[in-house]
Amino acid sequence: MEIKIFDTQEQLDSSAADIFVNLVNQKPNAVLGLATGSTPIGIYENLVNRFKQNKVSFKAASTFNLDEYVGLPPESDQSYAYYMHKHLFSHIDLPAAQIHLLNGMADDAEAECSRFETLLAKHPLDIQLLGLGHNGHIAFNEPNDQLSSRTHVIKLKEETINANARFFASADEVPTHAMTMGIGSILKANKILLVVRGADKAEIVKKALTGPITTQVPASLLQAHAGVTVLLDREAGRMLG
Ligand code: F6R
């Protein structure tokens, strides 16, 4: 596991964007696993700028997003589909047919998860971008006695609903369920890029990267993957020795 710590957010975002740009320039049809939340916003901004400067083209690339809320249509400004279009897809040359998102409005959420997992099996991820939840979740794989390996429907933990309430009018409006890639779907990616910022995540960063591997800290399972790069700001990395 390679861990890099940055003094500024600009350096961190730019370094993460470099990893994606270099990959896509070397392998134009790369399959990119993407995340939402506050952490990747600056990385996507960087990617959009590089595209506008003709430093990269996403014409042949394809993407898979980690997760989506159940019950939110893509037009809802709280949906992850909306977020992805707003921050990345509408600004770059990635063809719509090469964007893979979970449909939060699918009549049968379980069938939607199977459809997604089948597509993932056909298009192995070259890289998966991850943020880290305060409780150690990656994607929406919440701490539990057992974790699901493949894409599945999950009931969100109260702490996750509260953490995500900042994007909604109130916690009551946060959907109670989500669809998420499973830990196995994530660990199949060739490379994993975990990005974490902020003092409030320092403790969980330490547990996830240096503590025992346990389903109670889903991100700790990343320790078992040979191709993980972790990018941290000083605050998030302050408890690492
Ligand atoms: C988002 C996702 C989540 C977030 C995590 C951190 O697609 O899967 O696991 O990465 O909750 O969120 P932020 O970046 O908002 O702190």
Side-chain angles (χ1 to χ4, degrees):
M1 184 176 282
E2 189 188 6
I3 302 177
K4 293 183 185 169
I5 300 185
F6 296 87
D7 287 325
T8 69
Q9 186 179 332
E10 290 68 32
Q11 288 167 352
L12 190 160
D13 290 340
S14 167
S15 171
D18 284 346
I19 293 173
F20 276 89
V21 168
N22 292 340
L23 170 65
V24 174
N25 283 338
Q26 269 166 29
K27 184 178 179 189
N29 65 346
V31 184
L32 312 175
L34 301 178
T36 56
S38 25
T39 309
I41 292 177
I43 302 172
Y44 296 149
E45 247 173 55
N46 261 268
L47 290 179
V48 170
N49 288 337
R50 313 278 179 104
F51 167 71
K52 287 185 176 157
Q53 294 157 5
N54 287 323
K55 292 190 174 142
V56 65
S57 164
F58 297 92
K59 247 185 204 148
S62 50
T63 63
F64 282 83
N65 259 82
L66 283 172
D67 41 19
E68 180 59 282
Y69 289 116
V70 170
L72 290 190
E75 314 77 68
S76 157
D77 58 4
Q78 317 296 352
S79 77
Y80 287 171
Y82 185 96
Y83 168 109
M84 287 310 302
H85 285 281
K86 176 176 167 195
H87 292 290
L88 186 65
F89 297 153
S90 62
H91 309 286
I92 60 174
D93 61 347
L94 176 70
Q98 288 152 222
I99 294 172
H100 302 100
L101 295 163
L102 283 153
N103 173 10
M105 294 303 283
D107 289 338
D108 181 342
E110 300 289 350
E112 173 61 5
C113 291
S114 305
R115 177 193 73 84
F116 196 79
E117 192 65 36
T118 305
L119 274 171
L120 262 177
K122 282 192 201 143
H123 304 275
L125 296 167
D126 289 294
I127 190 165
Q128 177 63 57
L129 175 63
L130 296 175
L132 178 65
H134 290 99
N135 61 5
H137 75 215
I138 45 174
F140 273 134
N141 294 284
E142 301 278 31
N144 217 326
D145 291 343
Q146 295 178 333
L147 295 175
S148 296
S149 177
R150 302 295 166 221
T151 307
H152 60 286
V153 179
I154 189 153
K155 184 171 166 31
L156 299 179
K157 293 247 172 185
E158 206 175 315
E159 61 250 39
T160 299
I161 292 181
N162 291 333
N164 289 1
R166 67 191 194 276
F167 299 115
F168 291 79
S170 73
D172 295 344
E173 288 184 23
V174 184
T176 54
H177 290 76
M179 286 178 264
T180 179
M181 275 190 210
I183 293 288
S185 333
I186 293 170
L187 290 177
K188 276 205 295 187
N190 186 38
K191 282 197 158 47
I192 293 180
L193 183 61
L194 175 69
V195 181
V196 195
R197 290 199 323 247
D200 52 327
K201 295 209 177 142
E203 205 172 322
I204 194 66
V205 163
K206 182 166 193 230
K207 272 193 193 160
L209 304 187
T210 66
I213 295 178
T214 161
T215 58
Q216 297 300 341
V217 180
S220 68
L221 276 90
L222 297 174
Q223 294 179 39
H225 191 287
V228 177
T229 300
V230 185
L231 306 185
L232 305 171
D233 67 3
R234 284 258 162 248
E235 289 75 29
R238 85 190 141 93
M239 290 175 79
L240 297 176

